[in-house]
Amino acid sequence: MTLSHISHPVEALILAKESQGVIERARQIKLMAFDVDGVLTDGSLWYGEHGEQIKRFNALDGHGLRLLRESGITVALITGREGPIVDRRAAELGIPLVQQGVRDKALALATLAQDHGCTLAETGYMGDDIIDLAALQRAGFAASVPNAPAYVTQAAHWVSSLQGGSGAARECCDLILAAQGKLGAFFAPNAMFMSGSIQ
């Protein structure tokens, strides 16, 4: 897909700064999986006085995940940590595919792809740490964040300009949708009724 085939100016704006290789990888995606800590959050772990864990999520990221789902792209969360907060956030966004306490994220990604009839070339993963490396290396589209260690960003096909928990996942979602020519539909007059409230 070349920029001349982009049907909406917002899609052209997003894709103008991307290489053709990145655009082609993003265009193939049917299933996109995200790490949580450091990608959907800034990686901070806050604890209350009774040991309860608190995470800060970004509403723009959440809406981006919803836009992916509503465009027919399967969304999954794969995290090495465990806790009810992730399940709650996923439920708010309508994401049923949540795997917590995962040590082998490459295997988890490959299994998700197989279960949903996707090849690894049609599967993307966004992560930020050592535990994500194997999944990034297997994914057809590997994404990371600028505050990840250099050996992680070097393994990625694409790195967001925004940091984890601050719109990085939304940037990734917009790129995938733009590459597939699906983002422009959300700028139609009735698009807000399609996507619901920003989460």
Side-chain angles (χ1 to χ4, degrees), residues 86-156:
V86 174
D87 284 330
R88 178 176 176 180
R89 182 61 174 151
E92 288 175 345
L93 300 175
I95 300 171
L97 300 178
V98 181
Q99 297 191 17
Q100 299 198 60
V102 177
R103 304 311 298 169
D104 189 343
K105 293 190 175 185
L107 177 60
L109 185 69
T111 302
L112 279 171
Q114 183 176 21
D115 290 347
H116 290 83
C118 302
T119 66
L120 283 172
E122 297 169 328
T123 304
Y125 183 77
M126 188 171 193
D128 74 313
D129 210 343
I130 293 174
I131 192 173
D132 301 304
L133 273 174
L136 289 169
Q137 291 166 347
R138 295 193 73 178
F141 175 61
S144 191
V145 295
N147 48 316
Y151 48 80
V152 176
T153 58
Q154 288 176 1

Side-chain angles (χ1 to χ4, degrees), residues 142-147 153-154 156-161 171:
S144 191
V145 295
N147 48 316
T153 58
Q154 288 176 1
H157 301 119
W158 177 84
V159 178
S160 63
S161 65
E171 209 178 337

